[in-house]
Amino acid sequence: MTHSNEKINNPIRIGYSLSLSGPVAENTKAVRLAHRIWEEDINSKGGLLGRRVELVCYDDNGDPSQVSDIYTSLLDKEKVDLVIGGYGTNTIAASMSVIMERKRFLVGLMGLGVNLNLKYPDYFAMIPTGPKPNSTLTEGFFALATSQTPKPLTVAILSADAEFSKNPVIGARENAEKYGFQVVYERTYPLSTEDFTPLIDQVKVINADLFFICSYLNDSIGLVRAIHKSDYRPKMVGGAMIGPQSASVKKELGPLLNGFVNYEYWVPVPKMNFLGVADMLAKYQARAVEENVDQLGYYMVPLAYAQMQVLEQAIIATESLEDVVLSAYCRDHAFETVIGNIRFGEGGEWVEPRVVQVQFQNINNHDIETFKDSRVQVVVDPPIYASGSLIYPYSP
């Protein structure tokens, strides 16, 4: 690719939107800080292709209807060199019409199954759910259950009535069938629910062996508290809760989380100490307190930093900013990142899924430092990343 002198003196500008306000702001603020740390790291090494790198980020306020206008403006008015995907299924999906129409290369962050139906060849997903995202997210929960004694037989499914919970619930039903469990109760609740006691009372009457929950940040807190107050004791509880991954939820619930089993993408256990991840998180955590964002960063930060490493490695290897060149490179090469070695396959999903199931154990206070100890968040599945054994049945 030819660079005029004028071009060489200009920064490489990378544009995107993030939901820095709205219901997922706690997660996206962590993403934004991770991206800024990457930007500083790359510029301290002389930038890319001999040019400084500048990230251009707009707040879409958690409103998918604003997203396509932001991307259109980034490409037409701002004339950015490249775009990346925002955070989460709703906003990435909302950007895809513009991306596809302009034939742009896009690495999105944490969208579950965004490209399943679109089949757009230049989209790549930074989420470790692999080729079957819906079922992979929750499979570990059911696989673990099936190997316990006495084997559980029945499942109750409770989920928030929201877009994000549809895919994990489809996956939970598939996995229940695959592993021979009978779904004896299924219900959704509105996101506005504040008192979860009546719902838990209903589930208690059914007395299912497994209690599978798909919840959001605030409802996760309400549900954990309500389960504690009740004397319903399923043999396993958790599954697809968005919330326990977040530092503020961990801090608020503390010991109440003991015994819950839930999905994670990265946790500080020996087998997940990938190259560079500890240094990068130390940098992040030192700044997270003063910037008032998630103090641990385990859920979002390694993936967000790795999202930028994929872009960086593709640009360096191809010496190009052409969308078509970068896409072709991503389809055919592996990437070494802070979240391990990644290769993209069909639909731009990871060839090898890497969702882990974590059980909270041994928590005896509400101190954030406690959660830096690998003994309180134990990887119980898959065996390749396991750091301990499942405590079964659930007893808080």
Side-chain angles (χ1 to χ4, degrees), residues 140-156:
F141 183 86
F142 292 94
L144 267 171
T146 203
S147 59
Q148 303 309 311
T149 314
K151 186 187 166 184
L153 303 172
T154 54
V155 191

Side-chain angles (χ1 to χ4, degrees), residues 100 104-105 115 118-124 327-328 331 345 347-348:
M100 290 166 72
R104 303 303 293 228
F105 160 68
N115 203 25
L118 298 172
K119 299 188 180 358
Y120 178 59
D122 302 328
Y123 170 82
F124 301 89
S327 287
R331 280 195 288 274

Side-chain angles (χ1 to χ4, degrees), residues 89-244:
T89 312
N90 300 355
T91 46
I92 300 173
S95 70
M96 289 300 283
S97 57
V98 177
I99 300 303
M100 290 166 72
E101 183 193 317
R102 310 296 181 90
K103 297 187 167 52
R104 303 303 293 228
F105 160 68
L106 193 80
V107 183
L109 181 63
M110 292 275 212
L112 190 69
V114 169
N115 203 25
L116 275 176
N117 297 325
L118 298 172
K119 299 188 180 358
Y120 178 59
D122 302 328
Y123 170 82
F124 301 89
M126 282 313 286
I127 185 171
T129 43
K132 295 183 182 155
N134 293 351
S135 54
T136 302
L137 185 73
T138 60
E139 183 162 10
F141 183 86
F142 292 94
L144 267 171
T146 203
S147 59
Q148 303 309 311
T149 314
K151 186 187 166 184
L153 303 172
T154 54
V155 191
I157 297 176
L158 181 65
S159 64
D161 186 10
E163 190 59 42
F164 76 87
S165 59
K166 286 175 186 158
N167 288 345
V169 168
I170 291 168
R173 281 193 218 110
E174 284 173 12
N175 286 318
E177 189 177 338
K178 176 176 174 177
Y179 289 99
F181 299 115
Q182 187 188 355
V183 178
V184 290
Y185 175 93
E186 187 176 335
R187 163 147 199 197
T188 61
Y189 59 85
L191 272 176
S192 56
T193 305
E194 284 181 7
D195 179 10
F196 289 94
T197 305
L199 276 171
I200 300 304
D201 288 346
Q202 269 187 22
V203 181
K204 180 191 162 182
V205 172
I206 306 292
N207 200 24
D209 297 329
L210 303 177
F211 187 15
F212 179 88
I213 304 171
C214 185
S215 53
Y216 227 25
L217 288 131
N218 286 340
D219 18 321
S220 291
I221 294 170
L223 281 160
V224 170
R225 290 190 185 285
I227 289 164
H228 259 264
K229 275 197 270 191
S230 166
D231 55 3
Y232 168 45
R233 291 292 172 258
K235 292 187 172 69
M236 270 174 71
V237 58
M241 302 173 79
I242 297 178

